[in-house]
Amino acid sequence: MQANAPTPDTQVADAEPGNWVDRWAPAAARPYLRLSRLDRPSPALLLLFPCWWGLALAMLAGQDARWEDLWIFAGCGFGAFLMRGAGCTWNDITDRHIDGKVARTRSRPIPSGAVSVRQALVWMALQALIAFAILLTFHRAAIALGVLSLFLVTIYPFAKRFTWWPQVFLGLAFNWGALLAWAAHAGALHWPPVVLYLSGISWTLFYDTIYAHQDAEDDALIGVKSTARLFGAETVRWLKYFLALTVALMGLSIILALMPKASVLALALALVGPWAMGWHMAWQLRGFDHTDGAKMLQLFRANRDTGLIPLIFLGLALFV
């Protein structure tokens, strides 16, 4: 073994320092928890926030908050972490040969030898089955949407092999919860969650392009495509477009949902959310430096706050 080669219990390179998995989890469980990215759980919020946006928007649109919405809220939380874990496991299975060639990812459990492909498949199936059991407690429209999402989860890891826009496929998968949670409350889909879904996809293009700049050089060497490589020196200009589109589409979704029934005060308060979200994204652009991988990771992680901002104002609007 080379002197700098990862060992089966090496901390993954881009995990959050001092995370609970490395400190407290049993040694035998660590590789599986790392496969699920539970050594850096906060990015799961990027999958969860669109779910909660969709639920809050549905409650505002119908002006009919119910006790069962508490279970939808909690179920989305559990499901988001489980499906992120299953999706990350699937991503690592399909990317195992690529990950071994990239400095940031070669310490992940499969390329490091900590977990076999067969073991990873069993772990992925276990997480997906638990998530499916939660899904079955929702309205049948949400169940159908949840099943449909598996297509997006399955195809995403292959997108960087055939398109310069794999971040679009990530956005399609990561923001599906906006549709699902709306349907879990309302029992059907309408235009507001579709527009909210498109807003989330634009947001994903924003933050995952930042994230992809960490690997741009390695990706170029091994032929992996990304928007970071596609945009290059023009990245900031593209990120401004995604910022504007995210804010505009989220604002439109709120107007479409609230105009028929909600009060003027509730509408105004809800619209503060995308406005403040846009300012947070603009703050990220001021610190953007594609040559600084650590800075790119820091800005990417800041999006857990970005996604929380509109949720806070949607939640406040429920009480006016």
Side-chain angles (χ1 to χ4, degrees):
M1 181 180 294
Q2 297 175 0
N4 61 347
T7 63
D9 197 36
T10 299
Q11 179 184 13
V12 177
D14 58 352
E16 296 181 4
N19 66 81
W20 74 273
V21 172
D22 295 333
R23 295 177 63 186
W24 298 312
R30 287 175 194 163
Y32 298 97
L33 298 176
R34 289 168 181 154
L35 267 178
S36 299
R37 305 292 195 272
L38 289 177
D39 52 351
R40 57 210 117 148
S42 55
L45 295 173
L46 304 180
L47 178 64
L48 177 55
F49 282 141
C51 301
W52 285 348
W53 297 345
L55 175 60
L57 199 63
M59 294 164 67
L60 282 165
Q63 294 290 292
D64 59 346
R66 304 183 291 265
W67 284 110
E68 67 188 69
D69 293 323
L70 290 175
W71 168 242
I72 298 173
F73 182 89
C76 285
F78 294 130
F81 277 86
L82 285 164
M83 285 309 298
R84 177 187 180 243
C88 288
T89 303
W90 172 241
N91 185 78
D92 283 9
I93 291 169
T94 59
D95 282 359
R96 61 191 183 275
H97 302 302
I98 294 174
D99 285 346
K101 299 175 183 177
V102 177
R104 185 177 60 83
T105 58
R106 66 168 60 105
S107 56
R108 287 179 176 174
I110 296 177
S112 71
V115 175
S116 69
V117 172
R118 179 176 295 181
Q119 290 170 325
L121 284 167
V122 172
W123 178 241
M124 177 187 71
L126 177 62
Q127 295 172 93
L129 285 171
I130 298 172
F132 184 64
I134 294 172
L135 180 66
L136 290 177
T137 67
F138 290 170
H139 189 280
R140 61 180 179 273
I143 296 172
L145 286 166
V147 173
L148 284 174
S149 72
L150 293 177
F151 172 75
L152 298 171
V153 174
T154 300
I155 199 172
Y156 164 66
F158 301 100
K160 56 181 168 287
R161 295 165 170 83
F162 63 80
T163 177
W164 286 101
W165 294 83
Q167 280 69 27
V168 170
F169 287 85
L170 180 66
L172 290 168
F174 253 53
N175 295 280
W176 195 259
L179 305 176
L180 191 153
W182 173 288
H185 173 90
L189 275 182
H190 305 91
W191 280 111
V194 174
V195 179
L196 183 66
Y197 178 55
L198 295 176
S199 172
I201 293 171
S202 181
W203 177 45
T204 302
L205 278 161
F206 179 90
Y207 66 69
D208 205 60
T209 297
I210 292 174
Y211 185 79
H213 268 288
Q214 296 176 91
D215 301 329
E217 292 184 5
D218 286 334
D219 287 349
L221 290 173
I222 60 181
V224 169
K225 299 178 174 67
S226 72
T227 49
R229 288 189 59 207
L230 177 65
F231 301 155
E234 296 295 314
T235 293
V236 171
R237 179 168 63 88
W238 280 92
L239 293 181
K240 289 178 180 178
Y241 295 154
F242 298 143
L243 185 164
L245 191 60
T246 300
V247 172
L249 288 173
M250 185 176 289
L252 177 60
S253 71
I254 291 170
I255 292 170
L256 291 173
L258 273 65
M259 280 294 285
K261 293 184 179 181
S263 68
V264 174
L265 179 58
L267 176 61
L269 190 57
L271 285 172
V272 174
W275 175 81
M277 181 183 188
W279 277 107
H280 193 272
M281 295 167 75
W283 165 79
Q284 292 179 54
L285 287 182
R286 288 197 293 271
F288 183 87
D289 179 1
H290 70 88
T291 65
D292 186 344
K295 184 64 174 180
M296 295 297 93
L297 182 58
Q298 178 189 4
L299 292 178
F300 166 74
R301 287 175 174 166
N303 281 275
R304 58 195 170 194
D305 300 324
T306 313
L308 176 62
I309 292 170
L311 181 64
I312 290 172
F313 288 96
L314 288 171
L316 291 173
L318 286 169
F319 294 96
V320 299

Coordinates of all heavy atoms in Angstrom, one line a residue, residues 174-255:
F174 N -33.2 16.5 -6.5 CA -33.1 17.1 -5.1 C -34.3 17.9 -4.8 O -34.6 18.1 -3.6 CB -31.8 17.9 -5.0 CG -30.8 17.2 -4.1 CD1 -30.4 15.9 -4.4 CD2 -30.2 17.9 -3.1 CE1 -29.4 15.3 -3.6 CE2 -29.2 17.3 -2.3 CZ -28.8 16.0 -2.5
N175 N -35.0 18.4 -5.8 CA -36.1 19.3 -5.5 C -37.5 18.7 -5.7 O -38.5 19.4 -5.5 CB -36.0 20.6 -6.3 CG -34.8 21.4 -6.0 OD1 -34.8 22.2 -5.0 ND2 -33.7 21.2 -6.7
W176 N -37.5 17.4 -6.0 CA -38.7 16.7 -6.2 C -39.7 16.7 -5.0 O -40.9 16.7 -5.1 CB -38.4 15.2 -6.6 CG -39.5 14.5 -7.2 CD1 -40.3 13.5 -6.5 CD2 -40.0 14.5 -8.5 NE1 -41.2 13.0 -7.4 CE2 -41.1 13.6 -8.6 CE3 -39.6 15.2 -9.6 CZ2 -41.7 13.4 -9.8 CZ3 -40.3 15.0 -10.8 CH2 -41.3 14.1 -10.9
G177 N -39.0 16.9 -3.8 CA -39.8 16.9 -2.6 C -40.8 18.1 -2.6 O -41.8 18.0 -1.8
A178 N -40.5 19.2 -3.3 CA -41.5 20.3 -3.3 C -42.8 19.8 -3.9 O -43.9 20.2 -3.5 CB -40.9 21.4 -4.2
L179 N -42.8 19.0 -5.0 CA -44.0 18.4 -5.6 C -44.6 17.4 -4.6 O -45.8 17.4 -4.4 CB -43.6 17.7 -6.9 CG -42.9 18.6 -7.9 CD1 -42.6 17.7 -9.2 CD2 -43.7 19.8 -8.4
L180 N -43.8 16.5 -4.1 CA -44.3 15.4 -3.2 C -45.0 16.0 -2.0 O -46.1 15.5 -1.6 CB -43.1 14.5 -2.9 CG -43.5 13.2 -2.2 CD1 -42.4 12.2 -2.5 CD2 -43.6 13.3 -0.7
A181 N -44.4 16.9 -1.3 CA -44.9 17.4 0.0 C -46.2 18.2 -0.3 O -47.2 18.1 0.5 CB -43.9 18.3 0.7
W182 N -46.3 19.0 -1.4 CA -47.5 19.7 -1.8 C -48.6 18.6 -2.0 O -49.7 18.8 -1.4 CB -47.3 20.5 -3.0 CG -48.6 21.1 -3.6 CD1 -49.6 20.5 -4.2 CD2 -49.0 22.5 -3.5 NE1 -50.6 21.3 -4.5 CE2 -50.2 22.6 -4.1 CE3 -48.3 23.6 -3.0 CZ2 -50.9 23.8 -4.3 CZ3 -49.0 24.9 -3.2 CH2 -50.3 24.9 -3.8
A183 N -48.3 17.6 -2.7 CA -49.3 16.5 -3.0 C -49.7 15.8 -1.7 O -50.9 15.4 -1.6 CB -48.8 15.5 -4.0
A184 N -48.8 15.6 -0.8 CA -49.1 14.9 0.5 C -50.1 15.7 1.2 O -51.0 15.1 1.9 CB -47.8 14.7 1.3
H185 N -50.1 17.0 1.1 CA -51.1 17.9 1.8 C -52.3 18.1 1.0 O -53.5 17.9 1.5 CB -50.5 19.2 2.2 CG -51.5 20.2 2.7 ND1 -51.7 20.3 4.1 CD2 -52.3 21.1 2.1 CE1 -52.6 21.2 4.3 NE2 -53.0 21.7 3.1
A186 N -52.2 18.4 -0.3 CA -53.3 18.8 -1.1 C -54.0 17.7 -1.8 O -55.1 17.8 -2.3 CB -52.8 19.9 -2.1
G187 N -53.3 16.5 -2.0 CA -53.9 15.4 -2.7 C -53.8 15.5 -4.2 O -54.2 14.5 -4.9
A188 N -53.1 16.5 -4.7 CA -53.0 16.6 -6.2 C -51.9 17.7 -6.4 O -51.6 18.5 -5.5 CB -54.3 17.0 -6.8
L189 N -51.5 17.8 -7.6 CA -50.5 18.8 -8.0 C -51.2 20.0 -8.7 O -52.3 19.8 -9.3 CB -49.5 18.2 -9.0 CG -48.3 17.5 -8.4 CD1 -47.3 17.1 -9.6 CD2 -47.5 18.4 -7.4
H190 N -50.6 21.2 -8.5 CA -51.1 22.4 -9.1 C -49.9 23.2 -9.6 O -48.7 22.8 -9.4 CB -51.9 23.2 -8.1 CG -53.1 22.4 -7.5 ND1 -52.9 21.7 -6.3 CD2 -54.4 22.2 -7.9 CE1 -54.1 21.1 -6.0 NE2 -54.9 21.4 -7.0
W191 N -50.1 24.3 -10.2 CA -49.0 25.1 -10.8 C -48.1 25.7 -9.8 O -46.8 25.7 -10.0 CB -49.6 26.2 -11.7 CG -50.0 25.7 -13.1 CD1 -51.2 25.6 -13.6 CD2 -49.1 25.2 -14.1 NE1 -51.2 25.1 -14.8 CE2 -49.9 24.8 -15.2 CE3 -47.7 25.0 -14.1 CZ2 -49.4 24.3 -16.3 CZ3 -47.2 24.5 -15.3 CH2 -48.0 24.1 -16.4
P192 N -48.5 26.1 -8.6 CA -47.5 26.7 -7.7 C -46.4 25.8 -7.3 O -45.2 26.2 -7.3 CB -48.4 27.1 -6.5 CG -49.7 27.4 -7.1 CD -49.9 26.4 -8.1
P193 N -46.6 24.5 -7.0 CA -45.4 23.7 -6.7 C -44.6 23.4 -7.9 O -43.3 23.2 -7.7 CB -46.1 22.4 -6.1 CG -47.4 22.3 -6.7 CD -47.9 23.8 -6.8
V194 N -45.1 23.4 -9.1 CA -44.3 23.2 -10.3 C -43.3 24.3 -10.4 O -42.2 24.1 -10.7 CB -45.2 23.0 -11.5 CG1 -44.4 22.9 -12.8 CG2 -46.1 21.7 -11.4
V195 N -43.9 25.6 -10.3 CA -43.0 26.7 -10.4 C -42.0 26.7 -9.2 O -40.8 27.1 -9.5 CB -43.8 28.0 -10.4 CG1 -42.9 29.3 -10.5 CG2 -44.8 28.0 -11.5
L196 N -42.4 26.3 -8.0 CA -41.4 26.2 -6.9 C -40.4 25.2 -7.2 O -39.2 25.4 -6.9 CB -42.2 25.9 -5.6 CG -41.4 25.8 -4.3 CD1 -40.9 27.1 -3.9 CD2 -42.2 25.2 -3.2
Y197 N -40.7 24.1 -7.8 CA -39.8 23.1 -8.2 C -38.7 23.6 -9.2 O -37.5 23.4 -9.0 CB -40.6 21.9 -8.9 CG -39.8 20.8 -9.4 CD1 -38.9 20.1 -8.6 CD2 -40.0 20.4 -10.7 CE1 -38.2 19.0 -9.1 CE2 -39.3 19.3 -11.2 CZ -38.4 18.6 -10.4 OH -37.7 17.5 -10.9
L198 N -39.2 24.4 -10.1 CA -38.2 25.0 -11.1 C -37.3 26.0 -10.4 O -36.1 26.1 -10.7 CB -39.0 25.7 -12.2 CG -39.9 24.8 -13.1 CD1 -40.7 25.7 -14.1 CD2 -39.0 23.8 -13.9
S199 N -37.8 26.7 -9.4 CA -37.0 27.6 -8.6 C -35.9 26.8 -7.9 O -34.7 27.2 -7.9 CB -37.8 28.4 -7.6 OG -37.0 29.1 -6.7
G200 N -36.3 25.7 -7.3 CA -35.3 24.8 -6.6 C -34.2 24.3 -7.5 O -33.1 24.2 -7.2
I201 N -34.6 24.0 -8.8 CA -33.6 23.5 -9.7 C -32.6 24.6 -10.0 O -31.4 24.3 -10.1 CB -34.3 23.0 -11.0 CG1 -35.2 21.8 -10.7 CG2 -33.3 22.7 -12.1 CD1 -36.1 21.4 -11.9
S202 N -33.1 25.8 -10.2 CA -32.2 26.9 -10.4 C -31.2 27.1 -9.2 O -30.0 27.4 -9.4 CB -33.0 28.2 -10.7 OG -32.1 29.3 -11.0
W203 N -31.8 27.0 -8.0 CA -30.9 27.1 -6.8 C -29.9 26.0 -6.8 O -28.7 26.3 -6.5 CB -31.8 27.0 -5.6 CG -31.1 27.1 -4.3 CD1 -30.1 27.9 -3.9 CD2 -31.4 26.2 -3.1 NE1 -29.7 27.6 -2.6 CE2 -30.5 26.6 -2.1 CE3 -32.3 25.2 -2.9 CZ2 -30.4 26.0 -0.9 CZ3 -32.3 24.6 -1.6 CH2 -31.3 25.0 -0.6
T204 N -30.3 24.8 -7.2 CA -29.3 23.7 -7.2 C -28.2 24.0 -8.2 O -27.0 23.7 -8.0 CB -30.0 22.4 -7.6 OG1 -31.0 22.1 -6.6 CG2 -29.0 21.2 -7.6
L205 N -28.5 24.5 -9.4 CA -27.5 24.9 -10.3 C -26.5 25.9 -9.8 O -25.3 25.8 -10.0 CB -28.2 25.5 -11.6 CG -28.7 24.5 -12.6 CD1 -29.7 25.1 -13.5 CD2 -27.6 23.9 -13.4
F206 N -27.1 26.8 -8.9 CA -26.2 27.8 -8.3 C -25.2 27.1 -7.3 O -24.0 27.2 -7.5 CB -27.1 28.8 -7.5 CG -26.4 29.8 -6.8 CD1 -26.0 31.0 -7.4 CD2 -26.0 29.7 -5.4 CE1 -25.4 32.1 -6.7 CE2 -25.3 30.7 -4.7 CZ -25.0 31.9 -5.4
Y207 N -25.7 26.4 -6.3 CA -24.8 25.8 -5.3 C -24.0 24.7 -5.8 O -22.9 24.5 -5.3 CB -25.6 25.5 -4.0 CG -26.6 24.4 -4.0 CD1 -26.2 23.0 -4.2 CD2 -27.9 24.6 -3.8 CE1 -27.1 22.0 -4.2 CE2 -28.8 23.6 -3.8 CZ -28.4 22.3 -3.9 OH -29.3 21.2 -3.9
D208 N -24.5 23.8 -6.7 CA -23.7 22.7 -7.1 C -22.6 23.1 -8.1 O -21.6 22.4 -8.3 CB -24.6 21.6 -7.6 CG -23.9 20.2 -7.5 OD1 -23.6 19.8 -6.3 OD2 -23.7 19.5 -8.5
T209 N -22.8 24.2 -8.9 CA -21.8 24.7 -9.7 C -20.6 25.1 -8.8 O -19.4 24.9 -9.1 CB -22.3 25.8 -10.6 OG1 -23.3 25.3 -11.5 CG2 -21.1 26.4 -11.4
I210 N -20.9 25.8 -7.7 CA -19.9 26.2 -6.8 C -19.2 25.0 -6.3 O -17.9 24.9 -6.2 CB -20.5 27.0 -5.6 CG1 -21.0 28.4 -6.1 CG2 -19.5 27.2 -4.5 CD1 -21.8 29.2 -5.1
Y211 N -19.9 24.0 -5.9 CA -19.3 22.7 -5.3 C -18.4 22.1 -6.3 O -17.4 21.6 -6.0 CB -20.5 21.8 -4.9 CG -20.1 20.5 -4.2 CD1 -19.7 20.5 -2.9 CD2 -20.0 19.3 -4.9 CE1 -19.3 19.4 -2.2 CE2 -19.7 18.2 -4.3 CZ -19.3 18.2 -2.9 OH -18.9 17.0 -2.3
A212 N -18.9 22.0 -7.6 CA -18.1 21.3 -8.6 C -16.8 21.9 -8.9 O -15.9 21.3 -9.5 CB -19.0 21.2 -9.9
H213 N -16.6 23.2 -8.6 CA -15.3 23.9 -8.9 C -14.2 23.3 -8.0 O -13.0 23.4 -8.4 CB -15.4 25.4 -8.6 CG -15.8 26.1 -9.9 ND1 -14.9 26.3 -10.9 CD2 -16.9 26.7 -10.2 CE1 -15.4 27.0 -11.9 NE2 -16.7 27.3 -11.5
Q214 N -14.5 22.5 -7.0 CA -13.5 21.9 -6.2 C -12.8 20.8 -7.0 O -11.6 20.6 -6.8 CB -14.1 21.2 -5.0 CG -14.8 22.1 -3.9 CD -15.4 21.2 -2.9 OE1 -14.8 20.9 -1.9 NE2 -16.7 20.8 -3.1
D215 N -13.5 20.2 -7.9 CA -13.0 19.0 -8.7 C -12.7 19.3 -10.1 O -12.5 18.4 -10.9 CB -14.0 17.8 -8.6 CG -14.2 17.4 -7.2 OD1 -13.3 17.5 -6.3 OD2 -15.4 17.0 -6.9
A216 N -12.8 20.6 -10.5 CA -12.7 20.9 -12.0 C -11.5 20.4 -12.6 O -11.5 19.9 -13.7 CB -12.9 22.4 -12.1
E217 N -10.3 20.6 -12.0 CA -9.1 20.1 -12.6 C -9.0 18.6 -12.7 O -8.7 18.1 -13.8 CB -7.9 20.6 -11.8 CG -7.7 22.1 -11.8 CD -6.4 22.6 -11.1 OE1 -5.7 21.7 -10.6 OE2 -6.2 23.8 -10.9
D218 N -9.4 17.9 -11.7 CA -9.4 16.4 -11.7 C -10.5 15.9 -12.7 O -10.2 15.0 -13.5 CB -9.8 15.8 -10.4 CG -8.6 15.9 -9.4 OD1 -7.4 15.9 -9.9 OD2 -8.8 15.9 -8.2
D219 N -11.6 16.6 -12.8 CA -12.7 16.2 -13.7 C -12.2 16.4 -15.2 O -12.5 15.5 -16.0 CB -13.9 17.1 -13.5 CG -14.7 16.7 -12.3 OD1 -14.3 15.6 -11.7 OD2 -15.6 17.5 -11.9
A220 N -11.4 17.4 -15.4 CA -10.9 17.6 -16.8 C -9.9 16.5 -17.2 O -9.9 16.1 -18.3 CB -10.2 19.0 -16.8
L221 N -9.1 16.1 -16.2 CA -8.1 15.0 -16.5 C -8.8 13.7 -16.8 O -8.3 12.9 -17.7 CB -7.2 14.8 -15.3 CG -6.2 16.0 -15.0 CD1 -5.5 15.7 -13.7 CD2 -5.2 16.1 -16.2
I222 N -9.9 13.4 -16.1 CA -10.6 12.1 -16.3 C -11.8 12.1 -17.3 O -12.4 11.1 -17.5 CB -11.0 11.4 -15.0 CG1 -11.9 12.3 -14.2 CG2 -9.7 11.2 -14.2 CD1 -12.3 11.8 -12.9
G223 N -12.1 13.3 -17.7 CA -13.2 13.5 -18.7 C -14.6 13.6 -18.2 O -15.5 13.3 -18.9
V224 N -14.7 14.0 -16.9 CA -16.0 14.1 -16.3 C -16.5 15.5 -16.6 O -15.8 16.5 -16.4 CB -16.0 13.8 -14.8 CG1 -17.3 14.3 -14.1 CG2 -15.7 12.4 -14.5
K225 N -17.8 15.7 -17.0 CA -18.4 16.9 -17.3 C -19.1 17.6 -16.1 O -19.6 16.9 -15.2 CB -19.4 16.8 -18.5 CG -18.8 16.2 -19.7 CD -19.8 16.0 -20.8 CE -19.3 15.6 -22.1 NZ -18.7 14.2 -22.1
S226 N -19.1 18.9 -16.1 CA -19.9 19.7 -15.1 C -20.1 21.1 -15.6 O -19.4 21.6 -16.5 CB -19.1 19.7 -13.8 OG -17.9 20.5 -13.9
T227 N -21.0 21.8 -14.9 CA -21.2 23.2 -15.3 C -20.0 24.0 -14.9 O -19.8 25.1 -15.5 CB -22.5 23.7 -14.6 OG1 -22.5 23.4 -13.2 CG2 -23.8 23.2 -15.2
A228 N -19.3 23.6 -13.8 CA -18.1 24.3 -13.4 C -17.1 24.4 -14.6 O -16.5 25.4 -14.9 CB -17.5 23.7 -12.2
R229 N -16.9 23.2 -15.2 CA -16.0 23.2 -16.4 C -16.5 23.9 -17.6 O -15.8 24.6 -18.3 CB -15.7 21.7 -16.7 CG -14.8 20.9 -15.8 CD -14.4 19.6 -16.3 NE -13.7 19.8 -17.6 CZ -13.7 18.9 -18.6 NH1 -14.3 17.8 -18.5 NH2 -13.0 19.1 -19.7
L230 N -17.9 23.8 -17.7 CA -18.5 24.4 -18.9 C -18.4 25.9 -18.8 O -18.1 26.6 -19.8 CB -20.0 24.0 -19.0 CG -20.8 24.6 -20.1 CD1 -20.3 24.2 -21.5 CD2 -22.3 24.2 -19.9
F231 N -18.7 26.5 -17.6 CA -18.7 27.9 -17.5 C -17.3 28.5 -17.3 O -17.1 29.7 -17.8 CB -19.5 28.3 -16.3 CG -21.0 27.9 -16.3 CD1 -21.7 27.7 -15.1 CD2 -21.6 27.6 -17.5 CE1 -23.0 27.2 -15.2 CE2 -22.9 27.2 -17.6 CZ -23.6 27.0 -16.4
G232 N -16.4 27.8 -16.6 CA -15.1 28.3 -16.5 C -15.0 29.7 -15.9 O -15.6 30.0 -14.8
A233 N -14.3 30.6 -16.6 CA -14.1 32.0 -16.1 C -15.4 32.8 -16.1 O -15.5 33.8 -15.5 CB -13.1 32.7 -16.9
E234 N -16.4 32.3 -16.8 CA -17.7 33.0 -16.8 C -18.7 32.5 -15.7 O -19.9 32.8 -15.8 CB -18.4 32.7 -18.2 CG -17.6 33.3 -19.3 CD -17.5 34.9 -19.3 OE1 -18.6 35.5 -19.0 OE2 -16.4 35.4 -19.4
T235 N -18.2 31.7 -14.8 CA -19.1 31.1 -13.8 C -19.9 32.2 -13.0 O -21.1 32.0 -12.8 CB -18.3 30.3 -12.8 OG1 -17.7 29.1 -13.5 CG2 -19.1 29.8 -11.6
V236 N -19.2 33.2 -12.6 CA -20.0 34.2 -11.8 C -21.1 34.8 -12.5 O -22.2 35.0 -12.0 CB -19.0 35.3 -11.3 CG1 -19.8 36.5 -10.6 CG2 -18.0 34.8 -10.3
R237 N -20.9 35.1 -13.8 CA -22.0 35.6 -14.6 C -23.2 34.6 -14.7 O -24.4 35.0 -14.5 CB -21.5 35.9 -16.1 CG -22.6 36.4 -17.0 CD -22.0 36.9 -18.3 NE -21.4 35.9 -19.0 CZ -22.0 35.1 -19.9 NH1 -23.3 35.3 -20.2 NH2 -21.3 34.2 -20.6
W238 N -22.9 33.3 -14.8 CA -24.0 32.3 -14.9 C -24.6 32.2 -13.5 O -25.9 32.0 -13.4 CB -23.4 31.0 -15.3 CG -23.3 30.9 -16.8 CD1 -22.1 31.2 -17.5 CD2 -24.3 30.5 -17.7 NE1 -22.4 31.0 -18.9 CE2 -23.7 30.5 -19.0 CE3 -25.6 30.0 -17.6 CZ2 -24.4 30.2 -20.1 CZ3 -26.3 29.7 -18.7 CH2 -25.7 29.7 -20.0
L239 N -23.9 32.3 -12.4 CA -24.4 32.2 -11.1 C -25.4 33.3 -10.8 O -26.4 33.2 -10.1 CB -23.3 32.2 -10.1 CG -22.4 30.9 -10.0 CD1 -21.4 31.0 -8.9 CD2 -23.3 29.6 -9.9
K240 N -25.1 34.5 -11.4 CA -26.0 35.6 -11.3 C -27.4 35.3 -11.9 O -28.4 35.7 -11.4 CB -25.4 36.9 -11.8 CG -24.3 37.5 -11.0 CD -23.7 38.7 -11.7 CE -22.5 39.3 -10.8 NZ -21.9 40.4 -11.5
Y241 N -27.3 34.7 -13.1 CA -28.5 34.3 -13.8 C -29.3 33.3 -12.9 O -30.6 33.5 -12.8 CB -28.2 33.6 -15.1 CG -27.6 34.5 -16.2 CD1 -26.7 34.0 -17.2 CD2 -27.7 35.9 -16.2 CE1 -26.1 34.8 -18.1 CE2 -27.1 36.7 -17.1 CZ -26.3 36.1 -18.1 OH -25.7 36.9 -19.0
F242 N -28.7 32.3 -12.4 CA -29.4 31.4 -11.5 C -30.0 32.0 -10.3 O -31.1 31.6 -9.8 CB -28.4 30.2 -11.1 CG -27.9 29.4 -12.3 CD1 -26.6 29.0 -12.3 CD2 -28.7 29.2 -13.4 CE1 -26.1 28.2 -13.4 CE2 -28.2 28.5 -14.5 CZ -26.9 28.0 -14.5
L243 N -29.3 33.0 -9.7 CA -29.8 33.7 -8.6 C -31.1 34.4 -8.9 O -32.1 34.3 -8.2 CB -28.7 34.7 -8.1 CG -28.9 35.5 -6.8 CD1 -27.6 36.2 -6.4 CD2 -30.0 36.7 -7.0
A244 N -31.0 35.2 -10.0 CA -32.2 35.9 -10.4 C -33.4 35.0 -10.7 O -34.5 35.3 -10.4 CB -31.9 36.8 -11.6
L245 N -33.1 33.9 -11.4 CA -34.2 32.9 -11.8 C -34.7 32.3 -10.5 O -36.0 32.1 -10.4 CB -33.6 31.9 -12.7 CG -34.6 31.0 -13.4 CD1 -35.6 31.8 -14.3 CD2 -33.9 30.0 -14.3
T246 N -33.9 31.9 -9.6 CA -34.4 31.3 -8.3 C -35.3 32.2 -7.6 O -36.4 31.8 -7.2 CB -33.2 31.0 -7.4 OG1 -32.3 30.1 -8.1 CG2 -33.7 30.4 -6.1
V247 N -34.9 33.5 -7.5 CA -35.8 34.4 -6.7 C -37.1 34.7 -7.5 O -38.2 34.7 -6.9 CB -35.0 35.7 -6.5 CG1 -35.9 36.8 -5.9 CG2 -33.8 35.5 -5.6
A248 N -37.0 34.9 -8.8 CA -38.2 35.2 -9.6 C -39.2 34.1 -9.6 O -40.4 34.3 -9.4 CB -37.8 35.6 -11.0
L249 N -38.7 32.9 -9.8 CA -39.6 31.7 -9.8 C -40.2 31.4 -8.5 O -41.4 31.1 -8.4 CB -38.9 30.5 -10.3 CG -38.5 30.5 -11.8 CD1 -37.7 29.3 -12.2 CD2 -39.8 30.5 -12.7
M250 N -39.4 31.6 -7.4 CA -40.0 31.3 -6.1 C -41.1 32.4 -5.7 O -42.1 32.1 -5.2 CB -38.9 31.3 -5.0 CG -39.5 30.9 -3.6 SD -38.2 30.8 -2.4 CE -37.4 29.3 -2.9
G251 N -40.8 33.6 -6.1 CA -41.7 34.7 -5.9 C -43.0 34.4 -6.6 O -44.1 34.6 -6.1
L252 N -42.9 34.0 -7.9 CA -44.1 33.7 -8.7 C -44.9 32.5 -8.1 O -46.1 32.6 -8.1 CB -43.7 33.3 -10.1 CG -44.8 32.9 -11.1 CD1 -45.8 34.1 -11.2 CD2 -44.2 32.6 -12.5
S253 N -44.2 31.5 -7.6 CA -44.9 30.4 -7.0 C -45.7 30.8 -5.8 O -46.8 30.4 -5.6 CB -43.9 29.3 -6.6 OG -43.1 29.6 -5.5
I254 N -45.2 31.7 -5.0 CA -45.8 32.2 -3.8 C -47.1 33.1 -4.2 O -48.1 32.9 -3.6 CB -44.9 33.1 -3.0 CG1 -43.8 32.1 -2.3 CG2 -45.6 33.8 -1.9 CD1 -42.7 32.9 -1.7
I255 N -46.9 33.9 -5.2 CA -48.0 34.7 -5.7 C -49.2 33.8 -6.2 O -50.4 34.0 -5.9 CB -47.6 35.7 -6.8 CG1 -46.6 36.8 -6.2 CG2 -48.8 36.4 -7.5 CD1 -45.9 37.6 -7.2

